[in-house]
Amino acid sequence: MKSKFTCIECPLGCAITAEKKGDEIIVTGNKCNRGKDYAIRELTDPKRILTTTVFVENGIHPLLPVKSDREIPKNLIKKCIGELSKVRAKAPVKYGDVICKNVMGTGANIVSSCSMVRKNE
Amino acid sequence: MKTDVAVIGGGPAGLAAALKASEQAKVMLLERENELGGILPQCIHNGFGNFIFKKMLTGPEYAHHFMGKVEKSDIDVKTETAVLEINEDKTIVATNPSDGILEIKAKAIVLAMGCRERSRAQILIPGTRPAGVYTAGTAQRLINIEGVMPGKRIVILGSGDVGLIMARRFILEGAEVEGVYEIMQKPGGLTRNVVQCLEDYGIPLLLSHTVTNIKGKKRVEAVTVAKVDKSMKPIKGTERVIPCDCLILAVGLIPENELSKQAGVVMDEKTGGPVVDEHMETSVPGIFACGNVVHVHDLVDDVTMVSEIAGEYAAKYATGEIERGKEIKVVVGDNVRYVVPQFLRSIDMDNVTFYFRVKEEDKNVKVIISESMAIFEKKERIVKPPEMVKASVPSELLKGIQNELRIDVRGKYEK
């Protein structure tokens, strides 16, 4: 099966096709090796950093921005965000605090991307 | 009240300028919101800081780095402070809840007010005026900071970066995104955002399309979209009614320069911001400008870098250390829409970085900077209007220039 990608390694935005033939992956349309690596990664194990918000109690805002401390499989992003909608952090929160450990068994921790002080402090 | 340097705006531009200026001078930072960071705290996605930190940070993280430094500095930060007036003699009139009206006499001023979004009124969409029409940035603030969903079934008009990022955000927060409609023939945002925000989530992007009507009494009930021809006029018979409860507008950003105009600085029609020299000094001596108030950037890293220059030289101006040479104009040539800085006055830095945008996409081109002959050339594999082009020119090549400097993007180079 042929998979098509637009490379994002540089503004060129090559239209790449990658096809699995046995153990080999044939990449075409790329103008450089970074495009080839990108296509192989996207075809075999696409991963992304997850960024979202969780509710925070007693914070100066109702939400706390968070992110995963490492990339997680792309197809788990939505599930993880669903899981994180149940999480309630408690202010005060420091930048980098772990909000949720090993989210959905991905091995990634969800950490705070900012500090948040308590309301009325 | 007196200060050496007053910085107006506490977003990425103002933070970087204030920090840099505070190394040499007394600095006051004025911010109308009750928190610093500008728009960064609501940009919870990552992709910030790739050049400066060599890491992909989120907006709040990028802001955190600078806010921490400001806290440790002796910068006099005044939040909830709206600047009402700037006069040519560098007196600032501002107001806040604790001081009432403030008058600040500054030796130098840095304008760092950023930009604002174009709204429905500016793109003249007909129809009723129901609730549910938001700019992308407003929707971003509602979802990411206030915890409020602006709608469930979304139509996005415009493919600027904020619109693309919000398309993904809406999907992740459980809404439906019917599609992103773009009046131009090419996307308005960066390629990486088209891929990671739309293609990743299967959101359709319809080029050469626009919204021609909004329906709904209290709340948006539907919008009409249509194909447009080459002159961007809707084509009859291509209209399609899309039921939705929310229309998001991502139709461009405009530098916010009401204060700059009042201060009497000369503006550039193309950028919508003041003309500046290589120190980011405007036409009014001692008034500097940086960040999106000058022209809208693609990357916050660039904002930080130019704002540090503005801060450094504002402090130098305040302490009487700037020397100026002959004024050299920088003019736009082939396939260049605008260039910043628009003129050079000192050429005392190691190199001068020119930031510019092209009019049309082209491949394998040369960026040529010339006086009567080319003095600097640079190859680019691709140039596109949404992606800002940079050329960093060593000052030794610029010294001795007597006439206008011209910047062109043309000529194929052999690969």
Side-chain angles (χ1 to χ4, degrees):
Chain A
M1 199 189 73
K2 281 185 181 171
S3 303
K4 289 188 170 164
F5 307 103
T6 308
C7 181
I8 59 164
E9 295 289 323
C10 81
L12 218 50
C14 293
I16 309 182
T17 307
E19 191 179 5
K20 217 170 178 173
K21 277 188 178 163
D23 284 345
E24 216 183 338
I25 293 170
I26 311 290
V27 178
T28 51
N30 59 309
K31 292 203 174 65
C32 73
N33 277 331
R34 283 164 68 196
K36 188 179 170 185
D37 295 344
Y38 174 79
I40 292 173
R41 219 163 49 237
E42 283 293 287
L43 187 68
T44 55
D45 188 19
K47 284 182 170 180
R48 303 282 184 272
I49 290 282
L50 175 161
T51 63
T52 187
T53 53
V54 297
F55 288 108
V56 56
E57 290 170 11
N58 290 319
I60 47 167
H61 296 299
L63 298 174
L64 177 75
V66 294
K67 71 173 214 176
S68 59
D69 62 359
R70 71 199 66 176
E71 291 190 316
I72 65 174
K74 190 176 126 181
N75 59 7
L76 287 177
I77 296 266
K78 270 184 121 169
K79 278 183 192 158
C80 289
I81 286 185
E83 188 68 17
L84 289 167
S85 67
K86 299 172 203 156
V87 171
R88 297 283 182 281
K90 282 197 178 83
V93 181
K94 278 209 193 92
Y95 171 75
D97 277 0
V98 176
I99 303 299
C100 170
K101 271 190 183 163
N102 188 16
V103 61
M104 301 286 290
T106 56
N109 294 328
I110 300 299
V111 298
S112 167
S113 12
C114 75
S115 298
M116 192 172 295
V117 294
R118 283 176 70 93
K119 226 188 271 179
N120 308 323
E121 251 179 35
Chain B
M1 218 176 267
K2 279 184 181 174
T3 188
D4 290 340
V5 179
V7 178
I8 301 170
L15 289 169
L19 278 167
K20 196 73 189 175
S22 72
E23 291 172 11
Q24 300 177 60
K26 208 175 119 193
V27 178
M28 192 180 275
L29 177 59
L30 307 169
E31 165 58 49
R32 68 181 167 195
E33 293 291 325
N34 53 11
E35 278 176 298
L36 296 177
I39 219 73
L40 286 170
Q42 73 185 51
C43 300
I44 62 159
H45 55 280
N46 74 336
F48 299 90
N50 201 14
F51 287 98
I52 291 180
F53 298 106
K54 311 279 175 233
K55 274 196 273 192
M56 287 291 202
L57 302 174
T58 67
E61 288 180 297
Y62 194 89
H64 176 88
H65 174 85
F66 291 94
M67 279 146 70
K69 282 191 168 173
V70 167
E71 260 172 47
K72 284 182 199 132
S73 74
D74 47 15
I75 297 168
D76 183 4
V77 178
K78 289 195 178 301
T79 51
E80 285 187 274
T81 303
V83 173
L84 307 174
E85 233 178 85
I86 302 175
N87 300 314
E88 277 183 60
D89 68 352
K90 295 188 278 295
T91 312
I92 296 168
V93 182
T95 176
N96 70 27
S98 51
D99 299 299
I101 299 270
L102 280 161
E103 207 178 79
I104 302 152
K105 180 88 192 89
K107 288 181 188 157
I109 293 175
V110 180
L111 306 169
M113 294 87 73
C115 60
R116 73 161 85 104
E117 295 178 281
R118 290 212 297 162
S119 64
R120 176 179 179 180
Q122 282 156 303
I123 54 166
L124 306 170
I125 308 176
T128 53
R129 298 185 59 190
V133 182
Y134 297 91
T135 59
T138 300
Q140 189 176 45
R141 183 173 174 96
L142 288 170
I143 296 179
N144 294 345
I145 292 188
E146 318 281 348
V148 174
M149 276 298 275
K152 286 182 185 145
R153 190 166 156 80
I154 318 294
V155 168
I156 298 180
L157 176 61
S159 59
D161 288 310
V162 203
L164 299 173
I165 279 157
M166 286 318 292
R168 170 176 66 184
R169 192 71 194 129
F170 271 113
I171 294 275
L172 290 174
E173 287 295 338
E176 236 179 292
V177 178
E178 202 280 334
V180 174
Y181 296 84
E182 169 58 56
I183 197 165
M184 309 297 280
Q185 293 165 26
K186 297 260 165 80
L190 303 175
T191 308
R192 72 169 198 216
N193 284 334
V194 175
V195 173
Q196 292 199 314
C197 300
L198 303 188
E199 290 179 15
D200 262 14
Y201 295 92
I203 302 167
L205 170 62
L206 293 102
L207 301 169
S208 299
H209 272 76
T210 192
V211 169
T212 55
N213 203 3
I214 300 174
K215 284 180 192 159
K217 274 193 173 165
K218 282 194 167 170
R219 178 84 203 179
V220 174
E221 285 159 18
V223 299
T224 308
V225 297
K227 264 192 163 175
V228 298
D229 60 20
K230 281 197 174 137
S231 58
M232 293 196 276
K233 292 261 183 295
I235 303 169
K236 267 208 169 135
T238 63
E239 297 90 351
R240 195 154 60 84
V241 176
I242 302 170
C244 60
D245 62 359
C246 186
L247 174 67
I248 296 296
L249 303 175
V251 290
L253 303 167
I254 320 164
E256 189 162 332
N257 275 297
E258 280 62 31
L259 290 171
S260 322
K261 286 176 194 160
Q262 207 180 35
V265 307
V266 175
M267 304 292 287
D268 181 335
E269 258 176 48
K270 297 267 179 60
T271 57
V275 298
V276 291
D277 70 7
E278 75 272 32
H279 296 153
M280 305 308 288
E281 189 174 6
T282 67
S283 60
V284 177
I287 298 187
F288 295 73
C290 56
N292 285 357
V293 90
V294 177
H295 62 131
V296 178
H297 295 65
D298 310 339
L299 303 176
V300 71
D301 299 66
D302 289 325
V303 168
T304 299
M305 287 189 270
V306 295
S307 302
E308 285 179 346
I309 294 173
E312 180 182 343
Y313 283 90
K316 282 191 174 153
Y317 181 92
T319 49
E321 278 180 46
I322 284 194
E323 274 179 42
R324 291 205 190 87
K326 189 185 167 188
E327 192 171 304
I328 309 285
K329 250 190 165 177
V330 183
V331 296
V332 299
D334 298 345
N335 198 17
V336 178
R337 190 150 62 87
Y338 72 73
V339 62
V340 174
Q342 289 88 345
F343 60 106
L344 305 179
R345 279 201 285 215
S346 304
I347 318 180
D348 56 355
M349 297 140 74
D350 291 344
N351 48 56
V352 176
T353 303
F354 295 94
Y355 293 85
F356 58 97
R357 284 187 198 280
V358 296
K359 290 180 190 158
E360 280 162 36
E361 182 171 325
D362 203 354
K363 280 180 183 159
N364 302 323
V365 290
K366 272 184 191 167
V367 173
I368 304 161
I369 297 177
S370 52
E371 189 186 12
S372 52
M373 278 162 52
I375 54 167
F376 179 86
E377 286 190 6
K378 187 188 174 206
K379 289 173 185 175
E380 290 286 343
R381 287 179 77 179
I382 191 161
V383 287
K384 299 178 181 182
E387 320 244 358
M388 194 153 74
V389 194
K390 282 182 263 185
S392 205
V393 183
S395 283
E396 65 229 44
L397 300 178
L398 297 169
K399 280 187 182 141
I401 287 176
Q402 293 300 318
N403 305 306
E404 285 182 350
L405 205 60
R406 181 184 153 113
I407 182 157
D408 294 280
V409 176
R410 65 173 173 213
K412 304 288 177 190
Y413 70 81
E414 297 297 319
K415 268 196 285 184

